[in-house]
Amino acid sequence: MGLVCEWCGGAANNGENIVYWELPDGTRAIQIIETPAVVCDDCNMVYQTDEITKEIEDQLFLIDTKKIGNSISYKELMSLPKLLKRNYFDFSS
């Protein structure tokens, strides 16, 4: 069975899109290209799963964000070296 849209319940597929993210320190926003997304065939909604959102949020807490320009690909962002082993500000688990 394929993906189901969280918005309308219709058929969806894996895709990519561009997202804009505010850095944790609030100094600026960056563009993240080629970000994994869910694309709905019925309602045309394009969105990130909760897992992808958490991966981005965690990574931005763990890296030196001053080394990121205005735009970066998702793969480049996720491959940047971490300064911390985990997100110590995440109390959800």
Side-chain angles (χ1 to χ4, degrees):
M1 183 171 150
L3 292 173
V4 175
C5 177
E6 293 180 17
W7 295 92
C8 75
N13 295 297
N14 289 315
E16 293 180 342
N17 71 336
I18 297 172
V19 297
Y20 298 87
W21 225 274
E22 183 177 356
L23 297 180
D25 63 6
T27 56
R28 64 191 173 105
I30 60 169
Q31 178 186 62
I32 307 172
I33 62 172
E34 301 170 352
T35 305
V38 175
V39 180
C40 179
D41 296 333
D42 293 336
C43 71
N44 297 317
M45 180 65 79
V46 179
Y47 62 93
Q48 277 59 54
T49 63
D50 291 341
E51 293 80 17
I52 293 296
T53 299
K54 182 165 178 18
E55 285 179 12
I56 293 171
E57 290 285 334
D58 285 348
Q59 183 71 347
L60 289 173
F61 268 110
L62 301 176
I63 62 172
D64 183 357
T65 57
K66 291 177 179 68
K67 294 183 178 181
I68 302 174
N70 292 332
S71 182
I72 190 168
S73 76
Y74 174 81
K75 287 181 183 178
E76 289 173 321
L77 174 65
M78 299 313 287
S79 69
L80 290 174
K82 295 175 174 72
L83 300 174
L84 300 170
K85 291 182 181 181
R86 67 180 190 92
N87 181 354
Y88 294 98
F89 301 101
D90 180 9
F91 302 107
S92 64
S93 47

